[in-house]
Structures are given as C-alpha cells and as structure tokens.
Amino acid sequence: MLGRVRRRAVWALAGAVSGEGAAWSGSAAAAIPLLPLVGPSAQGRERALSSAVAALREGGLVAVPTDTLYGIACLAEDSRALRAVYQLKGRDGAKPLAICLADVDQVHRYCKLAVPDQLLHDLLPGPVTLVLERSQALNPDLNPFTSLVGVRVPDHWFIKELARVCATPLALTSANISSQKSSLTVTEFKELWPHLALVVDGGPIGDLQRPECRLGSTVVDLSVPGKFKVIRPGCALTQTVEVLVKKHGLTAESSGL
C-alpha cells in the first residue's frame, strides 16, 4: 500500500497533469483525483491517460473502466503493488490475478500457447479471460502458486491504451471487496477510493438494473491442447463456446457443456 506521503505525491502529479478540474472527494487529507472520460476533449482524455500511467509507475493502484466492469489495475511487474491489491480487496492469497495486455500479439510473449493464433483473435479483444500456461517473462511474484495465468485484452480503448503506454502487463481485478457485488459505476466502490492513487471515471458500464451486466468476463482454461474448461460462465459464455466448439473443434473438459 502506498504510504500517505507517496500517495500525496501521486495525487499532486495527477492533478497537475490533468489540468481539467479533477473532481476531489472528502477532506484535503483524503482527497482522491477522480478523472472523467465521458465528455472531456481528446486532450482531456490524453491527460487522464498520462495521469494513470504516472500513478501506476509510482506503484499506485488505479481504478479503470473495462468492457465488462470497473477494475483495479497495477503494474504486474511491481511486487509491492500486487500485495497491495490483495490487501485492499481482502482477497484470498490463493486466488490469482489476471493480466491485461494492449493487444493480442503480446500474448505470445507472456504465455505458452496450446491454441492457434486465430482462436485468440476470434475471442480477443473482448469480454473473455483466457487461462494459459505462463512464460518466464512474467513477474514470478504474480500468482507464484500456479503455472497458469488469465489473460485479458478488454475491448475498451482506455485500458488497452494504458497497457500500451506502460509497455508492460497490468495486473487486473474487479473493483470491489472480495465476495461483494461487482461495480458498474465508480460510486459503487467508493469505500476503496482512499486506498487508490487514481479513479478514472468512464461513466456507467452496462445497465445497472440488469444483474447479467455484473457477471464479469467469461473465464476459459485453454491450457490443455484440444480442450477447454469453463472456469466462470461470465457475460459471454454462449458466443465463446460457439467459437471454441463450432469453429475450432475443441471439446469441453469437466464443464458439463
């Protein structure tokens, strides 16, 4: 977790870079920069991106919109930040974090593939997490208890561009306390704000009244050649299984499908 002094340094930097009136919540001692993506000019969006990059490189945790839910991101290479994520969420230390990449072509660097390239491109970018065998290019402190890693390439311009500019994988998890409901707006995880370096507000994600909008990404294990296993049905199960079975001929492994 960032110390108070270090957090203030990140906040000051974010405010200086944004220059477009970041919204501040609470007292000055607990102020959190809330940078909007909805409405600002292209220059304003670029400043929000620069602020997020700066916060991550300082070791901070940043709340970001994705194509499914709001997430909390840090640099996957930053072991201290990884520990802070678990502490913040009250997350079971045996539950892995996914990585977020800027584009599909980067999957080869961080994973050993048991599926063809075309399958990756058929599912990504999109609301799917692919569980693959990890390569040695990833930080060994990221999920040290497993040889697998979940990979996301969300279909959302901001987080993809964030990963591209950072030039390293982001560790990504949902913006909520573990076991509580997922967040579709930034106000739904307001209790986490004091522990974050930056909150990027992309507006509501999906329909707040529809429970299916809170399901998160569909998580599929593709680490075994020719097979797949659904770890979490998520929001894109039907179309994901259709691609895996009908187009690529994979068979379900212990998933009941």
Side-chain angles (χ1 to χ4, degrees), residues 174-193:
S174 56
N176 61 299
I177 300 294
S178 289
S179 80
Q180 294 187 7
K181 73 175 183 178
S182 302
S183 300
L184 298 177
T185 70
V186 295
T187 57
E188 291 183 337
F189 58 92
K190 205 167 185 178
E191 71 275 16
L192 302 182
W193 287 14

Side-chain angles (χ1 to χ4, degrees), residues 118-199:
Q118 186 57 51
L119 187 152
L120 298 181
H121 286 275
D122 287 339
L123 294 177
L124 303 174
V128 182
T129 300
L130 302 183
V131 178
L132 305 166
E133 185 177 354
R134 60 188 290 160
S135 77
Q136 294 184 347
L138 285 174
N139 179 0
D141 289 336
L142 174 73
N143 311 330
F145 45 82
T146 178
S147 61
L148 306 178
V149 67
V151 178
R152 286 221 64 200
V153 183
D155 191 12
H156 191 286
W157 74 269
F158 182 81
I159 192 165
K160 286 196 297 183
E161 187 66 5
L162 185 61
R164 185 191 69 79
V165 176
C166 287
T168 187
L170 306 179
L172 184 67
T173 185
S174 56
N176 61 299
I177 300 294
S178 289
S179 80
Q180 294 187 7
K181 73 175 183 178
S182 302
S183 300
L184 298 177
T185 70
V186 295
T187 57
E188 291 183 337
F189 58 92
K190 205 167 185 178
E191 71 275 16
L192 302 182
W193 287 14
H195 308 286
L196 301 173
L198 188 68
V199 177

Side-chain angles (χ1 to χ4, degrees), residues 12-251:
L13 175 60
V17 174
S18 68
E20 287 204 351
W24 299 85
S25 170
S27 66
I32 304 296
L34 180 63
L35 299 183
L37 291 182
V38 178
S41 63
Q43 184 180 21
R45 292 192 293 270
E46 183 62 32
R47 288 169 175 167
L49 178 64
S50 298
S51 297
V53 171
L56 290 171
R57 288 176 174 170
E58 284 287 325
L61 309 184
V62 175
V64 293
T66 75
D67 54 350
T68 55
L69 307 166
Y70 272 89
I72 295 173
C74 72
L75 297 186
E77 65 186 18
D78 189 332
S79 299
R80 183 183 178 190
L82 294 174
R83 293 192 294 270
V85 170
Y86 281 92
Q87 184 177 351
L88 172 64
K89 287 175 59 76
R91 187 177 177 88
D92 183 346
K95 293 184 67 174
L97 298 175
I99 60 170
C100 172
L101 302 177
D103 59 63
V104 179
D105 292 337
Q106 293 182 349
V107 176
H108 292 271
R109 178 177 179 185
Y110 300 104
C111 300
K112 302 174 183 178
L113 298 182
V115 294
D117 283 354
Q118 186 57 51
L119 187 152
L120 298 181
H121 286 275
D122 287 339
L123 294 177
L124 303 174
V128 182
T129 300
L130 302 183
V131 178
L132 305 166
E133 185 177 354
R134 60 188 290 160
S135 77
Q136 294 184 347
L138 285 174
N139 179 0
D141 289 336
L142 174 73
N143 311 330
F145 45 82
T146 178
S147 61
L148 306 178
V149 67
V151 178
R152 286 221 64 200
V153 183
D155 191 12
H156 191 286
W157 74 269
F158 182 81
I159 192 165
K160 286 196 297 183
E161 187 66 5
L162 185 61
R164 185 191 69 79
V165 176
C166 287
T168 187
L170 306 179
L172 184 67
T173 185
S174 56
N176 61 299
I177 300 294
S178 289
S179 80
Q180 294 187 7
K181 73 175 183 178
S182 302
S183 300
L184 298 177
T185 70
V186 295
T187 57
E188 291 183 337
F189 58 92
K190 205 167 185 178
E191 71 275 16
L192 302 182
W193 287 14
H195 308 286
L196 301 173
L198 188 68
V199 177
V200 178
D201 186 358
I205 299 175
D207 187 342
L208 275 62
Q209 304 305 316
R210 296 175 57 193
E212 60 268 31
C213 289
R214 298 183 187 273
L215 294 176
S217 64
T218 295
V219 183
V220 183
D221 186 337
L222 297 179
S223 61
V224 178
K227 298 182 181 296
F228 72 94
K229 182 177 181 179
V230 176
I231 306 299
R232 182 177 71 192
C235 65
L237 179 62
T238 300
Q239 53 266 48
T240 299
V241 170
E242 184 172 351
V243 168
L244 296 176
V245 175
K246 292 186 177 181
K247 185 169 184 178
H248 292 280
L250 274 62
T251 58

